[in-house]
């Protein structure tokens, strides 16, 4: 954990449930209590109906690949890991997250399929912050 | 029928800084601004003191102060490379409303020189708010700069429409043909750059992989640039020594700021911004005789011409692949050599405007900024800037008399 050399996010006051969930290995997501739609990233207002009645719930941690790329140039701690695959993930509950995708071969991008199922996992980057990553299943 | 703002103002001049591209001596952003502003004032005969509206991407008050101006209209819209097309839209409205009658839109950016100056002289604050959603939810995942984001759009376009990176490589090849006609283009020839001059699809595909599926030659340059245009009321436009290029239509829109919120990775808000511009102009894509479209990446240009209605969905790249966009083609596109091969300072919207003005005013082949074969016969041009991560767009329909 002390060896985590890549950027560690600094959680803001509005997304505490997500980061607390991440430390416990749970994918916590924000949902509008009025229109029932999930949104990502977390907000103080629902981007669909503009209700401020937002609740948090535990998501399934499952999704599919929306699109991806293979990074051959990176900076800081990520420079040591090139090539690696980045992807946008369609959550089963709706909306989309960004991730470094695990369990795929960056040297064979043609073997990675848009629409393929993925599962979330968490890596402890520090005492306080765990980061969500997605893995092909 | 054209809207009320159509042709309510004209671009009457467009000029650049003395040295652009990769200057031997490092430049500052303010120097690039000032050289271009001085040049456009001399070109049009409009004194700098006559400017009463100042439009710049985040920096207009500093520019006005530096020039000793006290403008009646100050616009700092800074939403990426399309900001300058939006400035033209806003200047058109301000002139139509009678608030101002001489608007300066200016750009200076030392994208190249800041490597030598250690990031100084950019006129920009550095760094990002750690609590910004982009910092929290995308930065932990190793993306760094535009190429690492735009590649995701190419993958999705290929998946959805069956297009290939090779299809998009034709955009680089044809755009380079235009650059060989522009002596100021970084990639004009072997004299301007060791890798300048004509290229093939194989060259593009065999260049270094940066962010699969994007190789280096699918990606724009990083250069210095200074550019400025003057926009005036019709009365002033008719009295100056340069030719007016009329703003027939203008529109702007956005789909997202961070790519995390991009709904359709194969579409941009240029569909909406161009619809507004065409509606104002009372014209449509079939009336456009050339196009200047932002080509930060081949995928940017390919998607954009689809959004502008110049090609069917999924087939934008065919305009280049089939040679229509090339010198002598039926729809010349990016006649300056583009962000891919001419110049791209970080924000490229001003470069689009300067070349569109030159083409429509018949000055695109002056021996300095263009050789024989660069001037087209076009009298209408659709200009589309794209900013951020395929986020924001500004579209203009420009016409000459
Ligand atoms: Zn709602």
């Amino acid at each position: 954990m002390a060896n985590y050399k890549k950027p560690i996010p600094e959680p803001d006051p509005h997304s505490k449930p997500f980061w607390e969930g991440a430390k416990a290995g749970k994918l916590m997501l924000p949902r509008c209590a009025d229109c029932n739609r999930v949104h990502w990233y977390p907000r103080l207002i629902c981007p669909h109906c503009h209700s401020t009645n937002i609740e948090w719930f535990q998501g399934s941690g499952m999704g599919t690949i929306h699109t991806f790329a293979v990074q051959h140039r990176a900076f800081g701690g990520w420079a040591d890991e090139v090539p690696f695959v980045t992807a946008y993930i369609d959550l089963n509950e709706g909306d989309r997250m960004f991730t470094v995708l695990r369990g795929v071969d960056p040297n064979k991008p043609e073997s990675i399929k848009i629409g393929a199922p993925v599962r979330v996992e968490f890596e402890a980057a520090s005492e306080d912050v765990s980061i969500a990553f997605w893995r092909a299943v | 029928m054209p809207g009320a703002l159509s042709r309510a103002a004209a671009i009457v001049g467009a000029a650049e800084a003395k040295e652009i591209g990769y200057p031997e001596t490092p430049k500052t952003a303010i120097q690039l601004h000032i050289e271009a502003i001085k040049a456009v004032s001399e070109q049009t005969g409009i004194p700098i003191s006559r400017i009463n509206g100042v439009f710049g991407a985040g920096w207009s008050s500093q520019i006005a102060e530096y020039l000793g101006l006290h403008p009646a209209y100050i616009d700092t819209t800074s939403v990426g490379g399309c900001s300058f097309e939006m400035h033209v839209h806003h200047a058109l409205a301000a002139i139509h409303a009678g608030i101002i009658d001489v608007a300066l839109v200016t750009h200076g950016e030392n994208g190249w020189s800041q490597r030598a100056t250690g990031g100084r002289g950019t006129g920009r604050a550095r760094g990002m708010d750690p609590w910004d959603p982009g910092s929290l939810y995308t930065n932990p995942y190793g993306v760094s700069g535009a190429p690492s984001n735009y590649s995701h759009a190419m993958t999705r376009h290929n998946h959805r429409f069956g297009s290939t990176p090779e299809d998009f490589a034709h955009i680089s090849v044809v755009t380079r043909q235009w650059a060989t006609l522009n002596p100021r283009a970084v990639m004009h020839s072997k004299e301007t750059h060791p890798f300048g001059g004509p290229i093939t699809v194989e060259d593009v595909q065999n260049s270094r992989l940066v962010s699969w599926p994007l190789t280096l030659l699918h990606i724009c340059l990083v250069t210095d640039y200074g550019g400025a245009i003057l926009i005036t009321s019709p009365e002033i436009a008719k009295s100056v020594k340069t030719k007016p290029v009329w703003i027939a239509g203008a529109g702007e829109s956005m789909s997202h700021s961070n790519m995390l919120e991009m709904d359709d990775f194969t579409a941009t808000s240029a569909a909406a911004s161009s619809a507004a511009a065409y509606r104002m102009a009372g014209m449509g894509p079939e009336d456009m005789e050339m196009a200047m479209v932002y080509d930060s990446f081949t995928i940017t240009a390919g998607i954009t011409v689809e959004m502008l209605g110049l090609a069917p969905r999924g087939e934008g790249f065919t305009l280049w692949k089939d040679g229509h966009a090339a010198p002598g083609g039926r729809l010349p596109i990016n006649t300056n050599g583009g962000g891919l091969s001419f110049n791209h300072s970080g924000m490229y919207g001003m470069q689009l405007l300067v070349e569109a003005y030159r083409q429509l005013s018949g000055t695109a082949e002056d021996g300095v900024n263009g050789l024989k074969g660069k001037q087209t016969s076009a009298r209408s041009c659709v200009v589309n800037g794209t900013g951020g991560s395929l986020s924001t767009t500004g579209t203009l329909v420009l016409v000459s008399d």
Side-chain angles (χ1 to χ4, degrees):
Chain A
M1 184 155 61
N3 296 324
Y4 196 86
K5 296 282 194 294
K6 294 164 292 203
I8 301 174
E10 299 174 42
D12 72 349
H14 310 310
S15 58
K16 276 209 172 77
F18 172 75
W19 299 103
E20 279 165 15
K23 276 204 295 191
K26 297 176 185 171
L27 183 71
M28 298 303 291
L29 297 171
R31 178 171 58 199
C32 173
D34 284 322
C35 76
N36 214 34
R37 293 178 71 174
V38 170
H39 61 266
W40 187 259
Y41 53 93
R43 287 165 166 88
L44 299 171
I45 188 166
C46 170
H48 305 292
C49 77
H50 302 133
S51 162
T52 51
N53 201 3
I54 308 296
E55 61 187 16
W56 290 82
F57 72 104
Q58 184 176 351
S60 65
M62 296 299 294
T64 55
I65 300 171
H66 183 79
T67 189
F68 67 97
V70 186
Q71 308 301 341
H72 287 260
R73 185 183 64 172
F75 300 95
W78 282 108
D80 300 332
E81 302 203 8
V82 295
F84 58 90
V85 177
T86 50
Y88 287 89
I89 304 301
D90 286 326
L91 306 176
N92 281 9
E93 292 81 4
D95 218 328
R96 208 174 279 158
M97 281 188 170
F98 187 61
T99 194
V100 168
L101 185 61
R102 296 172 167 176
V104 289
D105 186 349
N107 294 307
K108 290 185 184 146
E110 59 285 350
S111 69
I112 305 168
K113 299 297 176 207
I114 284 176
V118 293
R119 176 185 289 126
V120 77
E121 61 190 35
F122 295 91
E123 179 174 352
S126 70
E127 292 271 324
D128 299 319
V129 177
S130 289
I131 300 175
F133 289 93
W134 294 76
R135 179 178 293 277
V137 292
Chain B
M1 204 179 63
L5 266 66
S6 186
R7 304 181 194 227
I11 303 173
V12 298
E16 290 171 340
K18 288 175 195 154
E19 268 187 283
I20 57 174
Y22 298 158
E24 278 183 33
T25 313
K27 305 287 176 188
T28 63
I30 191 70
Q31 180 176 18
L32 294 158
H33 272 285
I34 296 303
E35 286 180 8
I37 294 166
K38 184 73 178 166
V40 78
S41 169
E42 287 173 353
Q43 178 193 40
T44 56
I46 298 174
I48 290 173
S49 59
R50 184 64 184 78
I51 293 164
N52 49 22
V54 176
F55 298 72
W59 221 33
S60 45
S61 65
Q62 292 92 327
I63 298 292
E65 179 192 81
Y66 205 93
L67 296 168
L69 295 177
H70 309 282
Y73 201 104
I74 301 143
D75 185 318
T76 58
T77 301
S78 183
V79 291
C82 63
S83 300
F84 310 93
E85 282 68 36
M86 293 183 181
H87 295 152
V88 174
H89 183 204
H90 304 169
L92 174 70
I95 290 170
H96 177 73
I99 302 167
I100 53 172
D101 57 7
V102 179
L104 166 71
V105 183
T106 179
H107 177 48
E109 192 171 29
N110 60 346
W112 168 256
S113 290
Q114 65 179 273
R115 301 176 192 202
T117 63
R120 297 176 186 84
T122 64
R124 277 199 311 271
R126 292 216 147 237
M128 208 176 172
D129 177 5
W131 286 356
D132 177 89
S135 297
L136 276 170
Y137 305 114
T138 64
N139 287 7
Y141 302 111
V143 277
S144 47
S148 59
N149 287 313
Y150 276 71
S151 44
H152 296 86
M154 176 79 95
T155 307
R156 187 73 193 178
H157 193 286
N158 292 170
H159 168 78
R160 177 167 169 190
F161 297 110
S163 59
T164 65
E166 287 77 11
D167 288 332
F168 283 86
H170 288 276
I171 298 176
S172 299
V173 171
V174 168
T175 306
R176 181 65 66 89
Q177 290 171 14
W178 283 111
T180 66
L181 301 174
N182 181 359
R184 297 254 280 176
V186 166
M187 291 297 181
H188 167 68
S189 62
K190 292 276 181 284
E191 281 86 70
T192 59
H193 193 282
F195 299 109
I199 51 172
T200 64
V201 167
E202 290 69 37
D203 292 333
V204 177
Q205 288 310 103
N206 292 335
S207 63
R208 182 165 55 82
L209 202 45
V210 175
S211 181
W212 181 95
L214 296 177
T215 60
L216 187 65
L217 293 183
H218 282 273
I219 301 172
C220 66
L221 304 162
V222 182
T223 66
D224 285 3
Y225 189 76
I229 63 169
L230 288 175
I231 303 170
T232 72
S233 64
E235 295 70 36
I236 295 173
K238 284 164 193 158
S239 70
V240 297
K241 60 184 179 183
T242 46
K243 279 192 189 165
V245 167
W246 297 97
I247 305 159
E252 64 189 60
S253 190
M254 60 174 280
S255 49
H256 57 276
S257 178
N258 191 302
M259 207 167 212
L260 189 55
E261 292 298 294
M262 187 168 186
D263 185 31
D264 181 351
F265 275 75
T266 70
T268 71
S269 62
S273 55
S274 68
Y278 289 139
R279 190 166 56 245
M280 184 191 293
M283 301 170 84
E286 66 282 0
D287 299 313
M288 299 300 106
E289 296 175 353
M290 67 168 287
M292 291 299 299
V293 299
Y294 208 101
D295 60 340
S296 45
F297 301 89
T298 55
I299 185 68
T300 318
I303 290 178
T304 298
V305 295
E306 297 174 23
M307 297 297 108
L308 299 179
L310 301 173
R313 283 291 275 138
E315 299 174 22
F317 61 85
T318 61
L319 290 178
W320 289 268
K321 194 176 182 180
D322 297 341
H324 302 308
R330 70 166 167 83
L331 184 72
I333 302 178
N334 295 347
T335 55
N336 55 358
L340 291 168
S341 284
F342 161 53
N343 186 295
H344 190 297
S345 49
M347 292 185 285
Y348 173 71
M350 178 58 73
Q351 288 89 322
L352 295 172
L353 294 172
V354 170
E355 178 64 12
Y357 177 80
R358 285 182 178 146
Q359 284 288 347
L360 296 181
S361 63
T363 58
E365 207 174 88
D366 58 3
V368 177
N369 302 291
L371 305 176
K372 192 165 166 42
K374 177 162 169 278
Q375 178 67 54
T376 72
S377 59
R379 296 175 65 181
S380 60
C381 178
V382 57
V383 181
N384 189 85
T386 306
S389 301
L390 295 164
S391 311
T392 45
T393 58
T395 312
L396 302 171
V397 173
L398 302 179
V399 297
S400 57
D401 285 320

